[in-house]
Amino acid sequence: QSALTQPASVSGSPGQSITISCTGSSSDVGAYKFVFWYQQHPGKAPKLMIYDVNNRPSGVPDRFSGSKSGNTASLTISGLQAEDEAEYYCSSYTSTPSLVLFGGGTKLTVL
Amino acid sequence: QVQLQESGPGLVKPSQTLSLTCSVSGDSISDGSYYWNWIRQPAGKGLEWIGRIYPTGGTNYNASLESRVTMSVDTSKNQFSLKLSSVTAADTAMYYCARDISGWYGRFDAWGQGTLVTVSS
């Protein structure tokens, strides 16, 4: 199973919006609602930001939103803040065989 | 609030077996409907799912590592463990344990802080 494809980096200025894409296949992202996004600051463990394509866990700001179209999922962060600067990883369930795939990660820089 | 803590040797020699334990507090491994997972991250690289174990001992492993991975659970100690055999330098990474609150679909809502394992002679 190949990893999901994400852009290596994205950037934006405070207050702007950015979108990170995550491209998989009809066996993973395109097949299930089980798409997740994680935020990882340097030296820290990943933190769940979005689950089941477009749901936010309690405590995650509503500036973070998720969507999916076909085999590509997206994470949008609106009203960028300095604290959003981090690495972002998407992941998806796949049933052939049953396992979890991660994207390669996207480095978000807040200019 | 659930907390996870990895422990184990930080240095393993090539061809030997890497052994790590994840201690869980704030949640009982045996009470929930959760799967407990291991995930690793080489320095400067992305995340790789290693595998999962259910409280009853059922497991699923990443196909790329399956021949070398063994996971086990000790509900009396509220711990689960990872063994990775025949390690090479490519296995050098930060190793995380994580709880999958969705069952087995990959919704990792709680993570340990990670433990760095270096494979070197």
Side-chain angles (χ1 to χ4, degrees), chain A residues 36 38 40 45 51 89 98-99, chain B residues 41 49 52 96 105-106 108 112:
Chain A
F36 311 92
Y38 297 89
Q40 186 179 35
Y51 67 93
Y89 293 93
S98 173
L99 50 78
Chain B
Q41 183 176 34
W49 180 77
R52 60 166 78 94
Y96 294 100
Y105 296 111
F108 305 121

Side-chain angles (χ1 to χ4, degrees), chain A residues 59-106:
Chain A
V60 173
D62 59 7
R63 303 183 293 103
F64 291 84
S65 62
S67 62
K68 188 182 80 165
S69 177
N71 298 335
T72 299
S74 298
L75 172 70
T76 297
I77 309 174
S78 59
L80 271 178
Q81 299 183 1
E83 67 207 49
D84 299 333
E85 183 163 296
E87 193 86 17
Y88 290 84
Y89 293 93
C90 65
S91 75
S92 173
Y93 172 78
T94 180
S95 64
T96 53
S98 173
L99 50 78
V100 175
L101 295 174
F102 282 100
T106 298

